[in-house]
Amino acid sequence: MDFKVTVTHSLISAHSIRGLLDSYEITDVISCDFLTRGLNDSYVITTDSEKYIFRVYRHNWRTETDILFEIDALNYLKMAGFPVSSPINTVEGNWIIVIQAPEGIRYGVLFTYSPGERPMINQENCSTLGRSLGELHKHTTAFHPAHRRNFNLDMQHLLDEPLSYISPVLEKVLHRGNSLIDTVEKVKSEILSRKLEYGFCHGDFHNFNMHIDDRKLEVFDFDCCSIGYRAYDTAVFWWNLKNNYPHLEKACWDEFLNGYLSQRNVPEADLKSLPLFISVRRIWLLGTMLKNEDVWGTNWINETNLNRFLLDLEKDQQMF
């Protein structure tokens, strides 16, 4: 039988990635190892003197101009002296390598490697992380990218689009397709009624996206960065504490926020909006996971997890 196979997300061999590295002016490569798979695939490159990360963006996840926006931001932060994993261009002066994958065009970018390890969640580190985000926001006040990002961290991207993926699943699994609409409208109404700060955001600022080495913090993975609500960018870390470190939440959140506020003044409206953006983060993440089910599979889409999601949103509303 003649049957045509389609591919949604290929895993490119480390051997093939190693072949692409001839495009860069780096010393002899000792090893190229697959590191992690997700919305993008990452490989760790080891030479006799340095380490690097080579990221292969998922097909149809980011456009070329999206990636160039990210590169604009990283180069801007590097020039400002903010410690980030920064992009490296090819010998021909290109930031992006075009890869012809089985599913279609994918893009590859080589980044410097951030030394150290993922920061442990404790009060001292959380104060450092808060200061880091405050510095990032302070440094990017005058950031004007040369390239366009195809999304902002606004209500359309963070709530409306995710809702379009979540509602059909809630209907199918829980027969509660409309149960999220009122919550989304309430959150949107509250946010849009306030004059909140808008600017460059990392988009995914938590301890999984940074390394600390001898108390020196370096931030990476700006894949979700864009222009948007600064309160959302700050609340992502609070969401991370609630989800992954609930026993440390209060003390560590206080330290994070105090560290952030030590770097810049924040309008009262933004501070009061932080609980709202915890719900926003939950909704955005679930929508993203459902939209990209070939990354996470579908086994987790069940009554238990969806009911927990709705219950978490109900708990969030007690803080509004």
Side-chain angles (χ1 to χ4, degrees), residues 151-202:
F151 63 91
N152 287 343
L153 296 175
D154 57 11
M155 294 295 93
Q156 171 67 23
H157 179 73
L158 296 172
L159 288 178
D160 293 339
E161 291 177 14
L163 182 63
S164 70
Y165 290 98
I166 298 171
S167 288
V169 174
L170 289 177
E171 179 60 34
K172 179 180 178 180
V173 179
L174 300 180
H175 306 294
R176 296 177 60 184
N178 295 326
S179 59
L180 191 58
I181 294 176
D182 288 345
T183 299
V184 166
E185 289 305 314
K186 178 181 179 180
V187 171
K188 281 176 61 176
S189 176
E190 287 289 337
I191 290 172
L192 294 174
S193 69
R194 307 175 189 190
K195 190 175 181 180
L196 301 180
E197 187 182 13
Y198 216 68
F200 178 81
C201 300
H202 179 278

Side-chain angles (χ1 to χ4, degrees), residues 228-290:
Y229 289 106
R230 288 276 178 77
Y232 170 76
D233 215 22
T234 308
V236 166
F237 193 82
W238 195 357
W239 159 86
N240 179 48
L241 291 175
K242 283 183 170 293
N243 263 35
N244 298 314
Y245 310 94
H247 58 297
L248 299 171
E249 177 198 344
K250 186 181 187 311
C252 285
W253 171 244
D254 288 345
E255 289 296 327
F256 180 89
L257 190 56
N258 288 335
Y260 183 90
L261 294 174
S262 72
Q263 299 303 306
R264 59 193 307 271
N265 295 321
V266 178
E268 188 66 22
D270 282 71
L271 292 175
K272 290 182 177 180
S273 296
L274 292 171
L276 290 164
F277 283 104
I278 294 175
S279 290
V280 171
R281 174 65 175 191
R282 294 191 198 279
I283 293 166
W284 172 85
L285 181 60
L286 182 59
T288 300
M289 293 178 71
L290 291 172

Side-chain angles (χ1 to χ4, degrees), residues 9-276:
H9 188 183
S10 62
L11 179 62
I12 299 173
S13 72
H15 176 76
S16 295
I17 297 298
R18 187 165 184 163
L20 296 173
L21 300 176
D22 292 339
S23 299
Y24 298 93
E25 195 172 329
I26 59 178
T27 57
D28 291 342
V29 175
I30 296 173
S31 64
C32 172
D33 300 300
F34 173 64
L35 181 63
T36 184
R37 184 171 190 168
L39 289 168
N40 304 301
D41 299 332
S42 297
Y43 302 77
V44 60
I45 314 300
T46 305
T47 71
D48 55 3
S49 59
E50 298 285 346
K51 278 187 174 182
Y52 304 90
I53 291 293
F54 191 82
R55 178 194 290 167
V56 182
Y57 290 80
R58 186 180 190 78
H59 176 61
N60 283 339
W61 171 241
R62 298 289 183 237
T63 66
E64 188 170 6
T65 186
D66 281 329
I67 298 169
L68 288 170
F69 173 97
E70 178 186 350
I71 289 170
D72 288 344
L74 291 170
N75 287 332
Y76 183 91
L77 286 165
K78 181 182 178 182
M79 289 293 293
F82 183 84
V84 291
S85 168
S86 55
I88 299 169
N89 56 14
T90 68
V91 293
E92 295 180 345
N94 300 316
W95 295 110
I96 298 173
I97 287 182
V98 177
I99 301 170
Q100 297 291 343
E103 63 271 34
I105 290 177
R106 298 179 66 178
Y107 299 109
V109 177
L110 185 67
F111 296 90
T112 59
Y113 185 88
S114 297
E117 303 289 340
R118 180 188 302 168
M120 292 181 59
I121 290 298
N122 55 47
Q123 291 184 49
E124 180 182 0
N125 282 346
C126 286
S127 177
T128 299
L129 271 57
R131 288 197 302 274
S132 176
L133 183 61
E135 290 172 359
L136 187 154
H137 286 171
K138 182 168 62 177
H139 280 307
T140 53
T141 300
F143 171 58
H144 298 291
H147 299 90
R148 180 178 176 272
R149 194 67 146 160
N150 285 307
F151 63 91
N152 287 343
L153 296 175
D154 57 11
M155 294 295 93
Q156 171 67 23
H157 179 73
L158 296 172
L159 288 178
D160 293 339
E161 291 177 14
L163 182 63
S164 70
Y165 290 98
I166 298 171
S167 288
V169 174
L170 289 177
E171 179 60 34
K172 179 180 178 180
V173 179
L174 300 180
H175 306 294
R176 296 177 60 184
N178 295 326
S179 59
L180 191 58
I181 294 176
D182 288 345
T183 299
V184 166
E185 289 305 314
K186 178 181 179 180
V187 171
K188 281 176 61 176
S189 176
E190 287 289 337
I191 290 172
L192 294 174
S193 69
R194 307 175 189 190
K195 190 175 181 180
L196 301 180
E197 187 182 13
Y198 216 68
F200 178 81
C201 300
H202 179 278
D204 202 19
F205 193 91
H206 53 80
N207 63 316
F208 286 64
N209 288 332
M210 56 196 67
H211 279 170
I212 194 166
D213 183 44
D214 192 25
R215 297 190 177 183
K216 296 178 181 178
L217 189 73
E218 187 163 295
V219 183
F220 50 82
D221 196 355
F222 281 69
D223 180 46
C224 291
C225 73
S226 190
I227 306 300
Y229 289 106
R230 288 276 178 77
Y232 170 76
D233 215 22
T234 308
V236 166
F237 193 82
W238 195 357
W239 159 86
N240 179 48
L241 291 175
K242 283 183 170 293
N243 263 35
N244 298 314
Y245 310 94
H247 58 297
L248 299 171
E249 177 198 344
K250 186 181 187 311
C252 285
W253 171 244
D254 288 345
E255 289 296 327
F256 180 89
L257 190 56
N258 288 335
Y260 183 90
L261 294 174
S262 72
Q263 299 303 306
R264 59 193 307 271
N265 295 321
V266 178
E268 188 66 22
D270 282 71
L271 292 175
K272 290 182 177 180
S273 296
L274 292 171
L276 290 164

